[in-house]
Amino acid sequence: MKSVAILLDGGFVLKKLYTMLGNIHATAEDVIKFSEVCLDSNEDLFRLYYYDCQPYEQTQTNPISGTSIDFSATSACSRSKSLQNALSQSSKVAFRKGNILFKGWVIKKYSTQDIIRTGRSIVDTDIQADLQQKGVDIKIGLDVASLTLKHTVERLILVTGDSDFIPAMKFARREGVQIVIISMGNSNIYSDFKEHSDEVRKVGYDSTTNSFIRIT
């Protein structure tokens, strides 16, 4: 049996699961079931590492309407906290928390296109909070290095769409750890991911059986 760790880039994974599940927000149970399908029968899970920021919970004022928005009272905040709490209490799961920063307000992509096309005035629903995560990438990189140098596992399964992790992947392989990249649904894998990994596995979702499946 190969000892393995699964590293999930939470923001990326949840966006992909939303599409795979038919525009339904994933639960902690969905994340666990997805991760289980990433494993081969000859692999023994050491730990599942989940990386994400805690939801933003401050109050900000919409500059167009002047309305105060309490982000802690939003459904997105409640949903995120519920998922993260459930994962953090699950067996063999380590939740690595990043920080989220409010950087101001930005115009939504489709609102920008509509304003340019119609010449209409901007309204309060055209803008959204610009929230940026900090500290997640470095935590993933540090865990890759730690798991590799301590010879904790023989194989790392990485689920992300961020090519910034390629240097960490190359480091792990040089130290003798195998790297597996997971492709979710119909997403394409960067050629650099393929070049610097030992295997690419594809996981999909079967809506008829409501289950995640490996795609060959």
Side-chain angles (χ1 to χ4, degrees), residues 82-154:
S82 176
L83 181 145
Q84 292 178 0
N85 288 338
L87 282 177
S88 64
Q89 297 174 30
S90 299
S91 176
K92 289 190 175 182
V93 175
F95 175 32
R96 300 287 198 258
K97 302 174 184 178
N99 299 314
I100 194 160
L101 303 177
F102 176 78
K103 304 293 289 185
W105 299 87
V106 294
I107 301 177
K108 299 174 183 177
K109 176 181 177 182
Y110 295 111
S111 291
T112 299
Q113 296 172 348
D114 187 58
I115 291 170
I116 293 174
R117 180 176 58 83
T118 64
R120 65 173 177 81
S121 299
I122 187 172
V123 297
D124 59 344
T125 55
D126 289 324
I127 64 175
Q128 63 186 7
D130 182 12
L131 301 175
Q132 297 182 11
Q133 66 176 25
K134 297 291 184 182
V136 170
D137 291 0
I138 188 64
K139 290 179 185 290
I140 296 177
L142 287 172
D143 278 337
V144 169
S146 177
L147 292 166
T148 296
L149 292 175
K150 293 180 180 179
H151 305 288
T152 307
V153 296
E154 300 168 87

Side-chain angles (χ1 to χ4, degrees), residues 26-91:
T27 63
E29 183 180 6
D30 292 323
V31 174
I32 296 294
K33 289 182 176 179
F34 162 77
S35 301
E36 291 173 347
V37 176
C38 293
L39 292 167
D40 274 351
S41 59
N42 67 338
E43 293 174 337
D44 179 44
L45 179 63
F46 167 70
R47 189 168 292 143
L48 169 65
Y49 294 84
Y50 183 83
Y51 306 83
D52 205 354
C53 294
Q54 292 181 296
Y56 186 70
E57 298 188 75
Q58 301 299 313
T59 298
Q60 298 292 341
T61 301
N62 185 301
I64 304 297
S65 66
T67 303
S68 292
I69 300 174
D70 181 2
F71 285 89
S72 69
T74 63
S75 59
C77 180
S78 175
R79 186 169 54 245
S80 180
K81 290 177 71 173
S82 176
L83 181 145
Q84 292 178 0
N85 288 338
L87 282 177
S88 64
Q89 297 174 30
S90 299
S91 176

